[in-house]
Amino acid sequence: MLKGFSKGTKVTVLTIWFLFTIFPLYWMFLTSIRPVREVTKHFFWPRSNSTLESYRALFRDYAFGTYLKNSFVVAIAASALVIFIGMLGAYSLARYRFKGKSQVMLVFLVTQMIPGLIALAPLYLLLSRLNLLNTLIALVLCYLGGMIPFATLMLRGFLQQIPPELDEAALIDGCNRVSALFRVIFPVALPGVAATFIFSFVQCWNELFLAMVLIDSDANKTFPVAERSFIGAYFIEWGGLAASVMIGIIPTMIMFGLMSKFMISGLSAGIVKG
Amino acid sequence: MSSTFRIQEKNSGKTRNILAPLWFLLPALILICIFIYYPVIRTAGLSLQNFKLFAQDDIYFAGFQNFSVIFNDLHFKRIMVNSVIWVVVSLFFQFTIGFVLALYLNTKFKFSGLYQAIIFIPWALSGFLMGLIWKWIFDDNLGIMNTILEGIGLIDKPIPWLSNDKWAMAAVIIANIWYGVTFFVIMILAALQGVPKEILEAAELDGASSRQRLFLVIVPFIKNTLVLIILLRVIWITNFPDLIFGMTSGGPNEQTHILSSWLVQKITYDQDWGAGSALGMFILIILFIFSVFYLLAVKIEDGDK
């Protein structure tokens, strides 16, 4: 498509951006395997005195096992619910034509313009009245509510690519609509469902501000909130922080690596094809 | 594009068919109302109250007092200017780099699949953590950035990246460019994949140069997508304090705050929820006005939806 630009330019641009993209993580990796007293040194390659001490400290001096578990529980629960409820809504928007549909679409689309940050204080007040402060359930509910609009639009994009004859056949075979949706359409839409699930999972995995405001007790902290314990009043414990960064990135990178192709078509279906 | 499903359910009365689509949507709509629209209304209420979390027995209706506190703040002007710079400069580079990368990635090459996966790296961790990583890289004394720049001979003496307000602003924006290119690559790449090959071939047969094909064929074809993703991106960048929060926490001396990082500070550190909510309403209103004018200005057509 771009024959005007030479191949050399292309390789150069792609290489520079590649290095720029991965450098921060590479640097964190090097920081994480340095012995504590060499953390601030500037060596560009792993050295023979590399150590996993910073990683061990995460689980010995800090309760990172618990934080990771909390994050996993919240992210998986919220994403699974997002998929279930989002599939129902997406099915309706993809298959039915009904009065008020464009208004419903507007309700979904306008949410994309509302800054999530303004919900911090109201949700705290709401959840404290429900006695759910300091619980993982609070986070699951808030993440679910926050992600539903986008996930529904994204799933709708995938469902539209599936021929309606498929659900017609299932209905004729005696399925009701809900079982047709989850038994027949769901497996066909699996790549799209997986992409949506992963996108939701990553958002939950990375969310900081709500978790900071809603969770107070150490036992219920999620991973991003716990990272803040490396930040002291006067200095930051870079070795421990770097090690936790490397651990936290493993699940998300695996997911993105597996699904990057579907993520690209899926995310744009959610955002643009409203 | 979507074929609408004809309703042929056996043994189902007409009323049930009319309500079916709404039953399916009900759980999602309830969640949206509770967790997105209700907070907006509550924020509007809070913005008119004197509401400090540490003084909960002293909550009263205060009219526009919170707004005047914000507008008269010593740093308000600086924060407004910062917000505009933050959005415009970040957006410009994110879009340009994202567009070029998307054009390159739209043609298959040896590692294109792997490269697409690598594009996602900035999204693999929270913006706050990415902010901390960049803080480590840009650190005035210990950071690798100065070492690299000195090493390749671009600078003679270390740049005070995070202790000087102008350099700190540059540093957070560089980090934001790094973070946000991903979005544009994904969206533009998906749009490019929707451009029919026949149009491009026809243009080539007509003797259009590749530059002409880009600006006269491809860009007009994906224009509506570009218009929409830029708008969404403006809103999103305005509300993305995570990086700043991680890198500078608004410092030195409040000089790198943008509106949304200021809001986070009001809510989490100052615990002045009245002022925080007023700030939230202010952001919401500005973005609403911007969106209306933007959409009027570009006159979005009902084209390539």
Side-chain angles (χ1 to χ4, degrees), chain B:
Chain B
M1 197 189 289
S2 72
S3 42
T4 306
F5 191 33
R6 268 166 298 126
I7 295 156
Q8 295 181 331
E9 244 171 308
K10 280 182 283 181
N11 310 325
S12 53
K14 222 178 178 179
T15 10
R16 194 175 147 210
N17 278 338
I18 292 170
L19 286 177
L22 288 177
W23 281 118
F24 279 116
L25 280 163
L26 199 61
L29 288 174
I30 290 174
L31 284 169
I32 291 175
C33 288
I34 296 177
F35 289 98
I36 299 179
Y37 288 106
Y38 163 74
V40 173
I41 297 165
R42 189 72 210 265
T43 299
L46 282 173
S47 72
L48 301 175
Q49 282 180 317
N50 182 57
F51 193 120
K52 298 188 170 69
L53 197 61
F54 49 83
Q56 294 205 38
D57 45 1
D58 191 29
I59 293 167
Y60 55 89
F61 180 80
F64 289 98
Q65 180 199 299
N66 289 319
F67 289 90
S68 79
V69 166
I70 286 170
F71 296 146
N72 292 321
D73 192 282
L74 189 64
H75 300 295
F76 178 73
K77 211 175 129 193
R78 179 62 194 250
I79 290 171
M80 284 300 286
V81 173
N82 279 351
S83 301
V84 173
I85 295 175
W86 167 256
V87 172
V88 173
V89 179
S90 304
L91 184 78
F92 175 80
F93 286 101
Q94 288 178 2
F95 180 84
T96 314
I97 298 170
F99 202 113
V100 171
L101 290 177
L103 285 172
Y104 283 145
L105 287 176
N106 195 32
T107 52
K108 284 259 175 302
F109 54 91
K110 210 171 173 187
F111 299 110
S112 53
L114 184 64
Y115 205 97
Q116 279 181 16
I118 282 163
I119 287 288
F120 279 102
I121 282 182
W123 283 6
L125 275 178
S126 70
F128 168 69
L129 265 188
M130 292 302 182
L132 288 176
I133 297 176
W134 282 104
K135 182 193 176 87
W136 180 221
I137 290 171
F138 277 117
D139 192 281
D140 294 0
N141 306 310
L142 307 171
I144 187 70
M145 187 57 91
N146 279 331
T147 310
I148 293 176
L149 292 178
E150 280 175 311
I152 55 179
L154 276 179
I155 54 171
D156 302 327
K157 56 179 198 302
I159 292 174
W161 283 107
L162 297 178
S163 53
N164 171 289
D165 57 334
K166 295 209 172 56
W167 285 112
M169 208 56 213
V172 292
I173 287 175
I174 290 172
N176 195 28
I177 294 166
W178 175 84
Y179 192 88
V181 163
T182 304
F183 174 87
F184 281 106
V185 174
I186 292 169
M187 293 301 147
I188 295 171
L189 185 55
L192 289 175
Q193 285 166 352
V195 179
K197 294 233 164 33
E198 300 81 47
I199 303 186
L200 292 170
E201 279 160 15
E204 201 169 356
L205 281 179
D206 289 345
S209 71
S210 58
R211 182 155 306 200
Q212 282 173 320
R213 263 178 287 150
L214 177 59
F215 288 106
L216 299 176
V217 182
I218 298 173
V219 170
F221 194 88
I222 63 173
K223 189 190 129 205
N224 282 355
T225 301
L226 297 181
V227 162
L228 190 62
I229 59 178
I230 288 174
L231 174 62
L232 286 172
R233 208 56 192 170
V234 168
I235 295 170
W236 202 88
I237 296 175
T238 309
N239 294 309
F240 183 57
D242 309 45
L243 274 175
I244 293 179
F245 195 69
M247 280 178 85
T248 66
S249 303
N253 189 26
E254 317 276 307
Q255 296 298 299
T256 56
H257 263 311
I258 58 169
L259 285 168
S260 53
S261 65
W262 201 26
L263 179 146
V264 171
Q265 183 179 321
K266 290 263 179 243
I267 299 279
T268 58
Y269 289 101
D270 306 352
Q271 305 207 324
D272 184 348
W273 286 10
S277 300
L279 200 49
M281 289 315 287
F282 180 62
I283 296 174
L284 194 63
I285 292 165
I286 289 184
L287 287 177
F288 178 76
I289 295 171
F290 171 80
S291 305
V292 170
F293 277 96
Y294 176 84
L295 290 175
L296 285 176
V298 295
K299 287 203 195 89
I300 190 162
E301 294 140 31
D302 265 341
D304 69 39
K305 270 196 175 175

Side-chain angles (χ1 to χ4, degrees), chain A residues 151-255:
Chain A
T152 307
L153 296 175
M154 192 166 162
L155 287 169
R156 172 178 175 259
F158 286 115
L159 289 187
Q160 282 174 338
Q161 293 165 9
I162 296 170
E165 289 75 23
L166 193 69
D167 13 337
E168 272 176 49
L171 290 178
I172 289 165
D173 286 348
C175 285
N176 66 34
R177 282 184 183 279
V178 177
S179 71
L181 173 59
F182 285 101
R183 290 222 189 116
V184 181
I185 304 176
F186 191 86
V188 182
L190 204 57
V193 170
T196 313
F197 183 90
I198 287 172
F199 189 67
S200 306
F201 180 94
V202 173
Q203 277 190 295
C204 296
W205 186 255
N206 289 340
E207 203 284 331
L208 171 71
F209 295 123
L210 265 171
M212 229 169 84
V213 171
L214 297 179
I215 303 287
D216 207 25
S217 73
D218 198 56
N220 284 335
K221 267 186 195 162
T222 56
F223 177 71
V225 180
E227 308 262 0
R228 296 184 66 230
S229 49
F230 293 114
I231 308 171
Y234 302 105
F235 71 99
I236 296 179
E237 207 187 314
W238 289 109
L241 185 70
S244 69
V245 161
M246 296 320 292
I247 292 206
I249 206 166
I250 293 170
T252 45
M253 277 317 290
I254 291 175
M255 291 182 173

